[in-house]
Amino acid sequence: MTVTLNHTIVPARDNDAEADFFAGIMGLRRLPPDGIDGKFAPVAVNDSLTLQFMTVPGAEPHHLAFDVEPAEFDQILARLQARGVPYGNSPRDPANGRTDHPLCPRGLFFADETGNLYEVMTTA
């Protein structure tokens, strides 16, 4: 049996703003509102995974990590730099401007307004 993650909820102070931010940085597609009363702001990560951003009072930040190809990493880094979004090579210091990641040749962390910490890693 193959198990595949279909979706996960990402807590947000403002689901639309956080979904737009994440999709914009990662170069992903925002989907139309979903769920009962359209309370989810979905972002398609790939053919089998959707992140469902949901506004939650007192949202507790999550950590989500992604593997990307080297060219995608370069594009994500360029979008972070163009938007002036802080990034760094450590979850303890996600604003140090470094991409020398301890687990892979290049990687970085960045956060959204809610404090969700996104990790992006590549093989070269």
Side-chain angles (χ1 to χ4, degrees):
M1 177 173 128
T2 300
V3 177
T4 304
L5 182 63
N6 177 274
H7 71 276
T8 191
I9 306 284
V10 179
R13 293 181 187 153
D14 177 331
N15 63 347
D16 287 318
E18 302 298 354
D20 288 341
F21 170 78
F22 176 75
I25 293 296
M26 297 295 287
L28 299 172
R29 187 168 44 102
R30 239 330 268 288
L31 301 173
D34 192 15
I36 297 171
D37 299 326
K39 69 180 177 181
F40 298 120
V43 175
V45 175
N46 56 42
D47 291 340
S48 64
L49 176 61
T50 301
L51 298 184
Q52 301 274 21
F53 288 79
M54 183 173 85
T55 300
V56 178
E60 293 280 333
H62 287 200
H63 172 127
L64 300 164
F66 302 90
D67 291 322
V68 299
E69 295 296 323
E72 291 170 309
F73 184 89
D74 293 339
Q75 293 167 1
I76 291 165
L77 179 58
R79 288 190 287 269
L80 288 166
Q81 292 169 333
R83 294 178 184 203
V85 176
Y87 63 90
N89 69 338
S90 168
R92 291 185 185 94
D93 190 4
N96 64 21
R98 294 171 48 188
T99 61
D100 55 315
H101 194 283
L103 302 177
C104 60
R106 290 190 302 155
L108 59 81
F109 296 84
F110 69 95
D112 63 21
E113 289 295 320
T114 299
N116 292 305
L117 187 64
Y118 303 102
E119 183 175 8
V120 182
M121 298 175 284
T122 191
T123 57

